[in-house]
Amino acid sequence: MARPFLPGCPGHVLYNAAVAVVLTAGVPLWLPWLLVSRKRRVNFPERLGIRGVPDARPRDARPAVWVHAVSVGETLASVPLLRELRRVVPDARIALSNVTVTGRDTAEKALSDVVDQRFYFPFDLPGLCGKFLDRLRPDAVVIVETEIWPNFLAECARRGVPVVIVNGRLSERSFRGYLRLRRFFAPVLRTVRTISAQSREDADRFIALGALEGAVEVGGNLKFDVSPPRGAASTLSVLLQSERRSGTRWIVAGSTHEGEEAAVLRSYLSAREANPSLKLLLAPRHPERFEPVFALARQAGVRVARRTEIAEGDTALDAEVLLLDTVGELSSAYAAAGLAFVGGSLVPKGGHNVLEPAWHGIPTVVGPHMENFREIAAAFLAAGALVQVPDEDGFAAVVVRFASNPSSFEGVGRRGRELLESFRGATEKNAAAVLSAIGRGGRT
């Protein structure tokens, strides 16, 4: 049996020697990469602990929980869990860390009333991780999905801080990569108190990598428990819903990547010949692509507008294509759609979450690459609640069919919403693992 990964053990020494070599030899590569990226210049000093180090935890009896969600998807998945923890343990101090700027922005919008502190996760350096842990002194660390940082986990183990992985998943690609280094990762995984996996397949993969079988359980997928934002209608939703009531059929292409917008535009232009009431909303996954996508739409010869150009009170859009150049409003766009396309799936990016359009009962199309959401995609496909196409030609055919007969897709959206309701319960199971770690029992 592999021993737990602790500071000073052979694996720990070798790992940090490798980190030192990479950091030193890689300066010519990572320094220019840092300088040209605005997003990384924002979070880099905080991840190094130069600024933005979290406030020290007061010495009181209130339990403290550090939750880590790397980016947007993990942050959104954490929302129901954190709200449940706040409900059950209202006096808890909850800290949330992210790695990406967009993840941090999402946390500020979705969890400002739940989380006490927000900060960027430190780089996986032993002294740095220890510094953050000694400031926060958490009673438990909760990692959303799968972020295996050996030094961080070793520093938690040295301080006796229990670590819980919630919503844990391992894609086939990640599993194969970790499996090649199983002798190293087995001791690392044995420092984790509980792994609450999304599915039985994910649980078996964690065990195959060396996690203790008794520490691994199936808690379900938190993303099935996420609910659409509620609140006052936004400027965007007012415009989109007004256009919808006037007869516009919106195709919303969300979380798109390079190569997908051009394919979506070509398909849209073909379908619009059959149905002039169609309009297209493009929502690139990454903010740095807003400008290139805007230019691409103009080159396609269509009238294109930006979301940031919409004024409060606008109820009509004098353009065929709308670029969503903001973060956090995609759900509002899906709510007004007649047909949704979820990106990262026509190109090999592993896909993105189809649950946002499903919340609103919107028929949804994806491409062949859904590896990151294989369980969700499989469930929706089996229920006839999702349309999957093999390539751009297949997508174009679906869009043309929608243009000719939009009502024929309504059953897909309805079945998606019904299926989503049937999968509730992951929040309570994952919360139970966290509550047990902080000594509040496993009952919610």
Side-chain angles (χ1 to χ4, degrees), residues 115-188:
V115 174
D116 298 294
Q117 291 192 65
R118 295 184 297 274
F119 56 94
Y120 287 110
F121 190 77
F123 286 106
D124 195 42
L125 304 173
L128 187 58
C129 292
K131 175 182 178 180
F132 277 62
L133 285 164
D134 289 340
R135 293 281 291 179
L136 284 165
R137 293 187 292 116
D139 293 294
V141 167
V142 180
I143 298 173
V144 183
E145 296 199 3
T146 310
E147 283 275 290
I148 302 175
W149 294 111
N151 273 320
F152 180 73
L153 293 177
E155 294 298 321
C156 288
R158 180 161 71 173
R159 290 162 175 77
V161 177
V163 176
V164 178
I165 293 177
V166 298
N167 219 44
R169 71 179 178 92
L170 284 170
S171 67
E172 178 64 29
R173 181 178 178 182
S174 297
F175 175 63
R176 289 198 303 268
Y178 284 129
L179 198 58
R180 287 193 287 268
L181 297 171
R182 185 187 184 280
R183 291 185 63 183
F184 172 76
F185 280 106
V188 175

Side-chain angles (χ1 to χ4, degrees), residues 32-104:
W33 168 79
L34 169 65
L35 294 175
V36 300
S37 172
R38 184 195 67 81
K39 290 196 305 181
R40 295 184 178 95
R41 288 200 303 273
V42 169
N43 65 15
F44 198 81
E46 294 193 26
R47 296 193 67 196
L48 280 173
I50 297 173
R51 65 168 187 254
V53 178
D55 296 334
R57 174 190 175 185
R59 295 186 178 278
D60 57 26
R62 296 170 59 187
V65 181
W66 175 353
V67 179
H68 176 57
V70 60
S71 191
V72 175
E74 293 81 2
T75 302
L76 289 173
S78 74
V79 171
L81 173 66
L82 292 179
R83 292 196 178 280
E84 178 69 2
L85 291 176
R86 176 60 74 204
R87 182 187 70 82
V88 177
V89 192
D91 63 331
R93 296 185 182 276
I94 300 176
L96 177 66
S97 62
N98 302 103
V99 168
T100 68
V101 175
T102 51
R104 174 73 169 268

Side-chain angles (χ1 to χ4, degrees), residues 53 71 110 114-116 130 139 151 154 168 215 239 262 286 317 370 380 399:
V53 178
S71 191
V114 176
V115 174
D116 298 294
D139 293 294
N151 273 320
L239 171 69
H286 301 296
L317 183 71
M370 288 297 291
F380 273 67
V399 175

Side-chain angles (χ1 to χ4, degrees), residues 366-387:
V366 295
H369 304 286
M370 288 297 291
E371 297 83 4
N372 291 343
F373 295 87
R374 65 186 185 280
E375 183 189 7
I376 293 175
F380 273 67
L381 287 168
L386 184 67
V387 178

